[in-house]
Amino acid sequence: MTQPQPPSDRPGQTQPTAPDAVPGPQDAPPAPAGFGPPAGFGPPPAPAGQFGAPAPTSAPAAPAGPPTAAATKQFGAGSFGPPPSVGSAAPEGSGRLVAGIVAALVVALVTAGLYGWLIGAMEREVGYAAIGVGLLVGLVAGRVGGRSPVLPVVAALFSLGAVYAGQLVGEAVMGSKQLPVSTQTLLTDHLDLVQEAWRADADFLTVVFFLIAAGAAFSATKKGATRG
C-alpha cells in the first residue's frame, strides 16, 4: 500500500483546493407551515399579448357629462329639463291690470267723497278739484296697473263717475243744511231729489270740467305707468 504524499513545498506549484460550495434550493431552510399566501388566491395573471407583454386592459369609462346636442335631438328637448308644472299661472300682465283697475276704483270712491264735501262746504262747484280727481285716479292706476292700453280708458271712465258722484254728494250736503234731513238720508232715500237739484245747477262749465277730468285721468295714467 502506498502512503499519501505530503503537500509539496516547491514554489510554482499550488495545492488544489475544493471549490466553495454554493447553497442551492435544497439547502434553504423549509418555510414554516401556516405562512404565505394559500394556493388558489390572489389576482389572476394578466393575459399575454402577441409578444408576451401583458394585454392592454379596457380604458376607464368617461364620467357622465351634460347631454350633447345629438342626445337632446334624439330624446327631445324637454327630456333633460325640469318636470312641467301642474297648471299654468295667470300672466303677470293680466294680474297687474286687475290690480290697477281695483286701485283706480278705490281712489275714485275716496276722491268723490272728498270732492263732494268740498262742494258742500263752499256751496259751489269747484272745477279745479274735478281736475285733481282725474289726476289722482289716473296716476294711481298707471303706477299700479302698468302700461296696459285698456287702463287709461278705464281711469277716464272712473274719473267721470267720481266727479259726478262728488257733485251729487255736494248737492246732498247743501240740501242737508236747508232741510231737516241728513246727507246720508238724502243720498239713500231721496236720491231722485238730489239728481234733480244737480240737473238744475249744471251748466256748460259742468260739462267742461267733466271732459277735463277725463282727459287728466287718461294722461296721468300713461305718465304714471312710465314712471312706475
Side-chain angles (χ1 to χ4, degrees):
M1 174 180 292
T2 60
Q3 295 295 330
Q5 298 294 329
S8 176
D9 294 334
R10 289 179 299 177
Q13 291 185 353
T14 59
Q15 185 69 25
T17 59
D20 295 336
V22 179
Q26 65 276 8
D27 298 328
F35 292 90
F41 290 89
Q50 182 177 3
F51 297 99
T57 59
S58 58
T68 59
T72 305
K73 183 177 180 181
Q74 179 180 1
F75 297 102
S79 299
F80 301 95
S85 58
V86 179
S88 57
E92 182 180 358
S94 62
R96 190 174 183 184
L97 174 61
V98 173
I101 293 175
V102 173
L105 179 60
V106 173
V107 174
L109 294 176
V110 174
T111 53
L114 295 176
Y115 179 47
W117 176 83
L118 183 61
I119 292 176
M122 301 183 65
E123 296 185 354
R124 65 184 181 87
E125 184 179 355
V126 183
Y128 295 106
I131 300 175
V133 170
L135 289 175
L136 288 176
V137 173
L139 184 62
V140 173
R143 287 289 183 89
V144 178
R147 301 182 180 182
S148 174
V150 180
L151 203 56
V153 179
V154 174
L157 294 177
F158 283 173
S159 65
L160 290 176
V163 172
Y164 176 68
Q167 291 182 358
L168 291 181
V169 172
E171 292 288 346
V173 172
M174 290 187 293
S176 64
K177 293 179 180 180
Q178 301 174 3
L179 301 173
V181 182
S182 64
T183 302
Q184 183 179 358
T185 302
L186 286 174
L187 291 174
T188 55
D189 299 341
H190 306 285
L191 183 59
D192 53 344
L193 297 178
V194 176
Q195 290 176 340
E196 289 180 3
W198 176 81
R199 283 191 293 266
D201 294 339
D203 53 7
F204 176 75
L205 289 178
T206 303
V207 179
V208 172
F209 290 146
F210 270 98
L211 297 177
I212 293 177
F218 190 91
S219 177
T221 304
K222 292 186 175 182
K223 291 181 179 180
T226 302
R227 294 178 181 179

